[in-house]
Amino acid sequence: MDLRLAQSGDAGQFYRRLTFLLLAVIALAAMAGIVVPAGLGWDFANFYDTGRRAAAGQIADIYRSESLIAGAQPQGKLAFWGAPISAYFYAPLSLFSAEWALAVFKLQNVLALFAALWLLYRHNRRFADASPAEQWKFAALFAGLVLLYQPFWSVFRVGGQTTPTVFLLFTVALLNYTKERFDISAACLLLALLIKPGFLFVMLPLCLVSGWRFVRSMAFVSMATAVGSILLLGWDIHAEFLQTMLQGMKNAYEWLYNSSLYVTAENLKLSAVPPIEARWLAVPVLVLKLAILLTFGWMYWQSRKQNLSRAAQRHFDFLMAVTFCLLFSQTVWEHYLAVLFMLLAYAVAVFRQFSFSAKALLAAIFAVSLFQNIVLVNVVNSRFRFDSVPELIAIGLLKSSPLWLTLVFVVRHRQELFQSYRSSQWEHANVRR
């Protein structure tokens, strides 16, 4: 008995030290990401120019990336995709020169990312073994996976992104949705969608399975925001926003930055030699989208048979909604995969509930996330030419592999996932239905 306690104490000390070492590496990596002035003309320029236009009273020009800003040239030429009212979120950046605004924006990204990760860690550590050694083991594992998971770190190369903020908003929404604080959850979701409308598909399953209380909260905050935005900014800019979104849905992006399940089809359409006609690719893409719809409808239906606690059911519903959005979306920028970490963090916390094959799938998801690193992708793209059908299929599958493996994980190991929601921690989190 004393020997086991001593061994446990030694293990706890080891994992504690390892945790602090990994946290130090994460902090240094984040500091380097802030200090290195990478991305002045990339995504950062998009938000910086939008903030400058908002501050200059040029809201009418926010979707015209080449327009002058108070008579000066824009920092970049990338299109802005956020809702009109969200342009004011970036106005404070206009107070700084581009170089200083870049550092400020990246610092905000780091603070949002760290806040989201801290909330997820605190939420999920309750599902790990309660012994001190196991708690430190989970902390070390969590920190190590954060360091490994490349979608978190890709934002620094492009000058910062709004995805860390969306990740934080989704995390807060998840925690409050689980506790049935639907007003807070709906407000966070709406803010996230104003910033990144591309996550709209999250709402499709959530509104279908959440019940009237959530739908009412979501409808209220959405209508209030829409009416206020139109009264403040006028209808014309909102009509332009809708046209921009419709046009964006028609755009196609190949593997270089797109990580969706459908990127292989986009590769063949855009880069194959000779090119493959889009009409031949439309059918398999449509079939896959229908399969995703039916799969998640079936998953939700199966979950209702499990007699889970209300908190457990809500948690499952939200995680599946985010996962569905990523699997259904035609374009998934690599940094969008940051929100997938909500599901992965929970799966790691309940690791003991899964079989060896499920654990291997989880490990593989983190391993293939390395190919979401923009620097690595650009190096590969500069050294190799992908234009034959087999090459484009292979590189497309590699880039979309985190989502393919996630799909296999949630479908093949759904019963183990359901079983994890029957733990005593969930039983005590809320009354049963």
Side-chain angles (χ1 to χ4, degrees):
M1 180 67 175
D2 291 339
L3 178 60
R4 287 199 301 269
L5 287 173
Q7 290 174 339
S8 176
D10 290 343
Q13 283 280 46
F14 169 77
Y15 288 121
R16 180 174 177 272
R17 291 170 181 168
L18 179 59
T19 298
F20 285 113
L21 173 63
L22 291 169
L23 290 176
V25 175
I26 289 171
L28 289 173
M31 289 175 60
I34 294 171
V35 172
V36 175
L40 269 171
W42 284 38
D43 293 11
F44 160 76
N46 172 10
F47 305 112
Y48 184 57
D49 288 341
T50 299
R52 291 166 66 203
R53 290 187 175 99
Q58 295 178 232
I59 285 293
D61 292 335
I62 59 175
Y63 299 114
R64 301 164 193 170
S65 59
E66 298 187 3
S67 64
L68 297 179
I69 306 171
Q73 289 292 327
Q75 180 71 22
K77 304 293 185 183
L78 293 178
F80 177 62
W81 298 98
I85 196 69
S86 72
Y88 288 106
F89 299 166
Y90 315 108
L93 292 175
S94 67
L95 298 174
F96 305 94
S97 67
E99 291 75 14
W100 278 105
L102 177 71
V104 170
F105 190 45
K106 287 184 176 180
L107 176 61
Q108 186 276 335
N109 282 197
V110 168
L111 295 176
L113 175 62
F114 284 5
L117 291 171
W118 171 246
L119 290 173
L120 279 179
Y121 168 72
R122 287 191 61 190
H123 170 69
N124 285 299
R125 67 181 178 182
R126 75 187 68 178
F127 305 113
D129 192 292
S131 69
E134 289 298 318
Q135 284 286 300
W136 280 115
K137 182 178 180 180
F138 173 67
L141 181 59
F142 188 92
L145 294 177
V146 167
L147 191 59
L148 177 68
Y149 197 56
Q150 290 305 299
F152 290 146
W153 302 101
S154 292
V155 298
F156 293 109
R157 179 62 186 87
V158 297
Q161 249 290 344
T162 52
T163 306
T165 302
V166 171
F167 178 43
L168 173 59
L169 289 168
F170 274 6
T171 299
V172 176
L174 165 66
L175 301 181
N176 284 280
Y177 182 87
T178 301
K179 297 176 181 178
E180 299 188 2
R181 297 171 182 166
F182 293 139
D183 291 343
I184 299 175
S185 182
C188 289
L189 286 169
L190 178 66
L191 279 172
L193 294 180
L194 290 176
I195 295 170
K196 286 208 175 296
F199 282 102
L200 182 63
F201 289 125
V202 168
M203 301 312 302
L204 177 60
L206 273 187
C207 287
L208 288 175
V209 304
S210 299
W212 170 243
R213 284 180 54 214
F214 174 79
V215 172
R216 181 182 60 193
S217 296
M218 198 71 222
F220 175 77
V221 296
S222 299
M223 291 176 62
T225 303
V227 170
S229 183
I230 292 171
L231 289 176
L232 178 65
L233 305 177
W235 169 249
D236 290 346
I237 190 63
H238 292 85
E240 189 172 352
F241 165 66
L242 294 176
Q243 291 172 0
T244 300
M245 291 300 101
L246 289 174
Q247 180 59 46
M249 293 175 66
K250 301 176 184 177
N251 292 345
Y253 302 95
E254 56 183 340
W255 69 275
L256 196 56
Y257 305 118
N258 187 4
S259 301
S260 79
L261 292 185
Y262 316 95
V263 69
T264 297
E266 306 287 45
N267 285 352
L268 297 175
K269 180 168 58 177
L270 297 172
S271 300
V273 179
I276 296 178
E277 292 187 34
R279 60 193 178 96
W280 296 114
L281 299 170
V283 172
V285 168
L286 179 60
V287 169
L288 180 55
K289 284 185 178 288
L290 288 173
I292 296 296
L293 276 169
L294 293 173
T295 297
F296 277 82
W298 176 69
M299 286 284 291
Y300 278 115
W301 179 66
Q302 286 286 309
S303 73
R304 265 56 187 175
K305 294 174 154 186
Q306 306 302 315
N307 195 30
L308 303 177
S309 71
R310 291 173 63 170
Q313 186 68 66
R314 295 295 188 196
H315 191 271
F316 173 85
D317 289 350
F318 195 100
L319 291 184
M320 289 302 102
V322 172
T323 306
F324 166 81
C325 176
L326 293 172
L327 294 174
F328 191 77
S329 297
Q330 190 75 17
T331 300
V332 178
W333 308 117
E334 59 283 309
H335 48 85
Y336 279 23
L337 295 177
V339 301
L340 185 63
F341 194 79
M342 291 191 289
L343 170 65
L344 300 178
Y346 174 72
V348 169
V350 296
F351 214 53
R352 302 183 309 279
Q353 303 285 344
F354 292 114
S355 62
F356 176 80
S357 60
K359 294 174 182 177
L361 274 173
L362 285 172
I365 292 170
F366 283 101
V368 296
S369 81
L370 292 171
F371 201 66
Q372 305 302 315
N373 183 289
I374 292 178
V375 175
L376 174 61
V377 168
N378 283 330
V379 169
V380 171
N381 186 53
S382 66
R383 297 188 178 182
F384 301 96
R385 181 177 178 84
F386 301 96
D387 52 18
S388 70
V389 170
E391 290 170 341
L392 291 169
I393 291 175
I395 198 66
L397 290 175
L398 177 60
K399 193 69 190 298
S400 60
S401 55
L403 291 180
W404 280 112
L405 293 174
T406 298
L407 178 59
V408 173
F409 173 78
V410 297
V411 173
R412 182 177 179 183
H413 299 285
R414 63 191 180 280
Q415 291 301 333
E416 296 166 62
L417 185 59
F418 291 145
Q419 183 61 37
S420 74
Y421 282 109
R422 297 194 187 96
S423 68
S424 59
Q425 292 90 339
W426 283 116
E427 295 295 330
H428 297 149
N430 209 333
V431 295
R432 294 183 68 84
R433 294 182 185 276

